[in-house]
Amino acid sequence: MKSLRFHWICLLLLSVCLLLWYNHVIRSGLTMKTGLRGYVRVHPKTRSASYFLDFRCGRCAVVSSSGQMLGGARGQEIDGQDCVIRMNAAPTVGYEDDVGNRTSLRVVSHTSVPHLVRQQGYFFGREAETKYVIWGPEKNMREDGKGKIFNALVMLAKKYPQSHIYTVTREKVQYCDGVFQNETGKNRMKSGAFLSTGFFTMILALELCDSILVYGMIDGSYCSKANHSFVPYHYYEPSRLDECRMYHAHEHAKRGGHRFITEKLIYSRWASQGKLRFIYPSWSHQEHQHD
């Protein structure tokens, strides 16, 4: 009888231990897997990823770096949205009236990371609460010590341990390539193109935001119109190449170009689903869709 009682006590203790262990595993898993799996934080103390981007927003303003932003006086309107998403290292200081002042999240190309490093006091001081999502080719983002851009991000994360720096995973980059191919029927790599920061930004915004208002982005047919305006490619680089000339050069480049015009035709189809609106300049196809 005592032996049977001892047996049941052991089983009960084992069951309690298993239950506690299972609860710990489940809680740890939820902690690790909260957020979007395609965007992984660069840990400030180790070279390994710690957790996924945990960010949701109601109404987002996506602000282009285009010269179209100049003179629009949309800054206050942009800052009035729930979240503000910007691209690369586009500055706000000196352009507040047109582009606003707030930045909730930046989507940054690997080619713009050196700008973050050079101006780290601004980006990780003034914009300390901003989340940074960095995309780039695997050779630059590898975590084995040979990824030049990833190494720079680790350095920034160590220097600014409260920073929020995330990388786009290899699987997510491949997913974005797949979206491009599904929309165009063309293999992105075989066509000699690179996806633009704007493309990664749009896909991320569609995942994060309940609704999206886009500022400063022209539609795919804009540059073919005889009366289109001539503005700088970037609002903060007034002496650089005209935007439409840049778009045409990239669209027809055999290798290494962004398909800006093709991407905007894709956005136009996405906008017809209602979650995405092009506010300034307003895209003509929206006029009958949104009252």
Side-chain angles (χ1 to χ4, degrees), residues 135-146:
W135 71 272
E138 187 177 4
K139 66 177 182 179
N140 290 340
M141 306 302 288
R142 55 194 296 176
E143 302 179 25
D144 60 358
K146 298 179 181 179

Side-chain angles (χ1 to χ4, degrees), residues 32-46:
M32 289 296 292
K33 295 181 180 179
T34 297
L36 295 172
R37 295 183 64 86
Y39 310 94
V40 182
R41 189 171 184 182
V42 178
H43 198 282
K45 294 182 180 179
T46 68

Side-chain angles (χ1 to χ4, degrees), residues 52 55 65 78 132 135 137 190 208 244 262 284:
F52 305 116
F55 183 81
S65 303
I78 289 169
Y132 294 85
W135 71 272
K190 290 181 179 178
L208 298 179
C244 283
T262 296
S284 58

Side-chain angles (χ1 to χ4, degrees), residues 3-286:
S3 173
L4 184 61
R5 186 181 301 169
F6 178 76
H7 175 74
W8 282 108
I9 290 172
C10 289
L11 279 177
L12 180 62
L13 288 172
L14 180 61
S15 298
V16 170
C17 290
L18 286 172
L19 184 62
L20 290 172
W21 174 82
Y22 179 76
N23 187 55
H24 170 73
V25 168
I26 291 296
R27 286 181 177 274
S28 298
L30 288 174
T31 300
M32 289 296 292
K33 295 181 180 179
T34 297
L36 295 172
R37 295 183 64 86
Y39 310 94
V40 182
R41 189 171 184 182
V42 178
H43 198 282
K45 294 182 180 179
T46 68
R47 302 192 66 80
S48 61
S50 61
Y51 58 88
F52 305 116
L53 176 63
D54 188 10
F55 183 81
R56 287 291 306 176
C57 195
R59 178 171 287 190
C60 297
V62 170
V63 184
S64 167
S65 303
S66 165
Q68 299 288 339
M69 294 302 303
L70 295 172
R74 297 290 179 134
Q76 187 174 356
E77 180 181 327
I78 289 169
D79 284 342
Q81 308 309 321
D82 297 328
C83 302
V84 181
I85 301 175
R86 303 186 191 276
M87 302 178 207
N88 294 318
T92 58
V93 175
Y95 302 94
E96 293 89 344
D97 288 346
D98 289 331
V99 306
N101 187 48
R102 292 177 54 224
T103 306
S104 309
L105 184 146
R106 282 184 184 270
V107 180
V108 181
S109 164
H110 60 110
T111 58
S112 288
V113 169
H115 293 291
L116 300 186
V117 174
R118 284 195 295 269
Q119 303 174 63
Q120 56 190 266
Y122 173 84
F123 288 111
F124 301 101
R126 178 187 170 94
E127 292 193 357
E129 296 303 313
T130 299
K131 291 178 170 59
Y132 294 85
V133 175
I134 319 295
W135 71 272
E138 187 177 4
K139 66 177 182 179
N140 290 340
M141 306 302 288
R142 55 194 296 176
E143 302 179 25
D144 60 358
K146 298 179 181 179
K148 181 179 179 181
I149 297 303
F150 187 80
N151 292 345
L153 299 177
V154 171
M155 179 273 292
L156 288 171
K158 287 180 177 179
K159 189 171 181 179
Y160 303 94
Q162 300 306 312
S163 62
H164 307 273
I165 304 172
Y166 298 80
T167 59
V168 181
T169 64
R170 177 186 179 188
E171 293 74 21
K172 194 66 178 183
V173 171
Q174 292 173 339
Y175 166 80
C176 293
D177 282 345
V179 170
F180 181 86
Q181 183 162 339
N182 289 338
E183 293 284 350
T184 64
K186 297 178 181 179
N187 180 280
R188 192 272 304 168
M189 293 185 68
K190 290 181 179 178
S191 70
F194 290 104
L195 298 178
S196 73
T197 300
F199 197 83
F200 286 101
T201 302
M202 284 297 195
I203 287 181
L204 179 56
L206 287 167
E207 295 175 311
L208 298 179
C209 309
D210 295 332
S211 63
I212 305 160
L213 307 179
V214 184
Y215 294 84
M217 193 175 288
I218 55 176
D219 65 48
S221 64
Y222 180 88
C223 291
S224 63
K225 297 174 182 176
N227 62 341
H228 74 265
S229 60
F230 291 84
V231 301
Y233 176 57
H234 289 148
Y235 66 78
Y236 50 90
E237 295 177 323
S239 61
R240 295 294 293 274
L241 187 65
D242 169 70
E243 178 179 58
C244 283
R245 288 184 62 188
M246 179 72 83
Y247 283 2
H248 283 304
H250 274 267
E251 192 70 19
H252 301 293
K254 291 185 178 181
R255 294 191 62 82
H258 295 307
R259 304 302 187 231
F260 292 115
I261 295 173
T262 296
E263 290 180 359
K264 286 169 174 54
L265 295 174
I266 296 172
Y267 306 155
S268 181
R269 290 196 291 275
W270 292 349
S272 67
Q273 300 170 13
K275 187 175 180 178
L276 184 62
R277 285 192 68 187
F278 293 85
I279 298 299
Y280 176 80
S282 177
W283 289 21
S284 58
H285 70 85
Q286 297 181 143

